[in-house]
Amino acid sequence: MEFDIHAKNHLILEKVAEKAEALGELNMKTRRTLKGHGNKVLCMDWCKDKRRIVSSSQDGKVIVWDAFTTNKEHAVTMPTTWVMACAYAPSGCAIACGGLDNKCSVYPLSLDKDENLAAKKKSVAMHTNYLSGCTFTNSDMQILTSSGDGTSALWDVESGQLLQSFHGHSADVLTLDLAPSETGNTFVSGGSDKKANVWDLRSGQNVQSFDTHDSDINCVKYYPSGDAFASASDDSTCRLFDLRADREVSIYSKDSIIFGAASVDFSLSGRLLFAGYNDYTINVWDVLKGTRVAILFGHENRVSSLRVSPDGTAFCSGSWDNTLRVRHEG
């Protein structure tokens, strides 16, 4: 009997600890608003230093921000509007971006604020349609891209050489995410064909495919352990797919949510899923229970991009209201 009481108490304490952790991650108020884009913010990414952010916009500009001071450290004007993709290099010494120019361009960053970055631009990737996403692999030397031409591709940054291409989507590829480095050489992509595909980076093979969404998949994101991934779709749902079980294991939806989900990311512990929607809100979901635990307001147009910082203490959302909002604990 005594054992039962101890076991029960232990379970209660565990639940309290879990709740406290979830609430800690939830206690995130808007601390900074980054203003400077003249049009819709389409993409953003954190630097590994947990301080800097790169964002890209329909205005054709790519801006590097100090998220603490809100200062703009660098600004690049691209030769096109609708810069749909941007990414920070792992070293923090370069950014990549692209959009309607069908290219992925890499700009080295220096400490000199007045340096002309455009003069040092390197065109790395060439697609036959718009660039929808880009991410560096685990070094500055390779970059992975997705495109409206229905393919994803791996490129050598130095030479601009195509190392591997990935064919398997029957429509625009809208999003991609690289598996956490410890879990092997795979990435997941999502597209207008309503499919999420998992790929082997080395062989180019499509190793798993999931097609339970009813509309475009706008964003995919690996679970921190690399054993699962989440997706956000125009069908107003986010879903969780377990790679070992090879199936969908959870749907995050409510009858009251009728707008598409544009972006998702996990809290560092994997306990919460943050999702940005076209109704200007960010919904926070309990990953295990499938329940919504919070709605975050503040943006005045659709939330197009959302990323949790590398140390998990903050997250940033980009919106069609031309701003980025940085929320963190404390």
Side-chain angles (χ1 to χ4, degrees):
M1 187 64 190
E2 195 180 332
F3 172 78
D4 285 351
I5 289 167
H6 282 311
K8 207 169 187 179
N9 285 347
H10 183 65
L11 277 174
I12 290 165
L13 285 173
E14 256 186 10
K15 280 201 164 63
V16 168
E18 275 179 3
K19 205 160 195 176
E21 177 200 12
L23 287 171
E25 289 172 329
L26 265 183
N27 184 25
M28 290 188 172
K29 296 188 173 67
T30 300
R31 308 290 172 182
R32 317 260 188 288
T33 302
L34 308 182
K35 294 179 179 173
H37 281 295
N39 213 320
K40 303 176 175 92
V41 176
L42 303 175
C43 188
M44 56 78 46
D45 191 24
W46 285 92
C47 181
K48 289 261 195 313
D49 70 3
K50 309 179 279 287
R51 179 169 186 141
R52 285 170 185 82
I53 286 170
V54 62
S55 61
S56 63
S57 165
Q58 191 192 334
D59 63 9
K61 287 205 168 43
V62 180
I63 298 176
V64 174
W65 310 81
D66 181 322
F68 292 176
T69 63
T70 73
N71 290 341
K72 299 176 196 66
E73 294 198 344
H74 302 279
V76 177
T77 303
M78 292 283 284
T80 178
T81 55
W82 287 91
V83 189
M84 290 133 142
C86 63
Y88 238 112
S91 69
C93 297
I95 53 168
C97 52
L100 287 187
D101 56 353
N102 303 359
K103 285 184 198 146
C104 183
S105 303
V106 174
Y107 294 86
L109 301 176
S110 78
L111 296 172
D112 180 4
K113 299 260 195 300
D114 303 317
E115 187 182 31
N116 179 13
L117 291 185
K120 291 189 158 186
K121 177 173 99 166
K122 185 178 285 180
S123 289
V124 173
M126 229 6 228
H127 281 277
T128 57
N129 208 325
Y130 66 90
L131 188 84
S132 59
C134 62
T135 184
F136 286 87
T137 59
N138 301 316
S139 81
D140 289 20
M141 301 320 297
Q142 292 183 354
I143 200 156
L144 187 62
T145 57
S146 59
S147 168
D149 64 14
T151 71
S152 301
L154 181 67
W155 310 82
D156 180 85
V157 170
E158 202 53 48
S159 65
Q161 193 177 351
L162 174 66
L163 302 174
Q164 188 66 261
S165 59
F166 307 89
H167 300 262
H169 283 284
S170 57
D172 303 22
V173 185
L174 301 175
T175 176
L176 54 79
D177 190 39
L178 194 66
S181 50
E182 313 79 57
T183 58
N185 288 284
T186 61
F187 75 95
V188 60
S189 62
S192 298
D193 58 1
K194 313 174 194 172
K195 280 197 181 115
N197 290 335
V198 180
W199 306 86
D200 185 306
L201 264 176
R202 289 163 297 191
S203 69
Q205 294 300 307
N206 180 192
V207 291
Q208 280 174 289
S209 194
F210 303 90
D211 61 355
T212 58
H213 274 294
D214 298 325
S215 193
D216 296 13
I217 295 175
N218 297 313
C219 185
V220 287
K221 190 73 192 176
Y222 271 96
Y223 190 74
S225 68
D227 293 325
F229 70 89
S231 56
S233 168
D234 278 348
D235 66 13
S236 309
T237 71
C238 298
R239 296 173 190 238
L240 184 70
F241 299 92
D242 187 306
L243 296 171
R244 292 169 301 181
D246 195 33
R247 67 185 187 91
E248 176 191 292
V249 288
S250 201
I251 301 178
Y252 306 96
S253 66
K254 282 179 105 53
D255 289 343
S256 56
I257 300 175
I258 55 170
F259 288 84
S263 188
V264 280
D265 202 1
F266 289 99
S267 65
L268 202 63
S269 68
R271 185 65 206 269
L272 299 174
L273 183 69
F274 298 95
Y277 290 78
N278 295 345
D279 65 355
Y280 318 169
T281 65
I282 295 163
N283 284 298
V284 188
W285 301 91
D286 183 305
V287 171
L288 298 175
K289 295 181 185 146
T291 54
R292 183 169 66 185
V293 289
I295 310 176
L296 306 176
F297 300 94
H299 280 297
E300 290 163 23
N301 208 321
R302 63 171 63 181
V303 180
S304 52
S305 183
L306 185 150
R307 298 294 287 268
V308 172
S309 65
D311 63 357
T313 61
F315 75 89
C316 178
S317 52
S319 166
W320 281 20
D321 66 10
N322 307 0
T323 71
L324 297 112
R325 285 174 173 259
V326 180
R327 302 168 193 256
H328 58 79
E329 297 170 13

